[in-house]
Amino acid sequence: MKTIHLFQFKNSISRKIPFFKEECRLDNLNDLMVYDLMTTEKVTEFIVEVHDDFIFEDTTREDLFSMCKNAKEMIEHYFVTTMNDYDVI
């Protein structure tokens, strides 16, 4: 068995965190409450155990979502996408 990280953004699952800039990441949810005019996006990271022969590309979307539901750990990441009507992506 091995441990992998899967990332869910909206309705998709990937092996890498989506294209957001690291400087746009919010460190904690308190940051979210500080700003009035901020749009954020949530990316959920799932830490899952898979067999050594697991191949991401050969796994169906439904199976990936099922794996995420059974993840041993889940981490939510928030990114600022718009602040004061200016895009920051």
Side-chain angles (χ1 to χ4, degrees):
M1 296 293 276
K2 62 183 177 181
T3 301
I4 63 168
H5 297 249
L6 297 175
F7 297 90
Q8 180 180 1
F9 175 62
K10 297 193 179 187
N11 210 15
S12 67
I13 302 283
S14 64
R15 292 180 61 192
K16 295 183 181 181
I17 198 159
F19 55 86
F20 298 108
K21 296 176 185 174
E22 186 62 31
E23 60 268 17
C24 296
R25 183 189 301 246
L26 298 175
D27 292 330
N28 58 57
L29 289 180
N30 289 336
D31 292 344
L32 202 69
M33 294 183 258
V34 171
Y35 300 101
D36 290 336
L37 300 173
M38 181 180 2
T39 303
T40 60
E41 292 288 351
K42 179 175 81 170
V43 175
T44 306
E45 177 180 0
F46 297 95
I47 301 171
V48 298
E49 293 286 327
V50 296
H51 293 286
D52 290 332
D53 60 351
F54 173 78
I55 300 173
F56 178 83
E57 294 78 12
D58 292 343
T59 308
T60 66
R61 186 170 171 259
E62 293 78 20
D63 287 344
L64 290 171
F65 278 109
S66 177
M67 291 169 61
C68 291
K69 284 183 182 178
N70 298 316
K72 67 178 187 178
E73 188 175 346
M74 178 184 82
I75 304 165
E76 292 181 341
H77 303 277
Y78 294 89
F79 295 89
V80 177
T81 57
T82 307
M83 191 175 334
N84 298 327
D85 296 329
Y86 295 101
D87 287 342
V88 293
I89 289 182

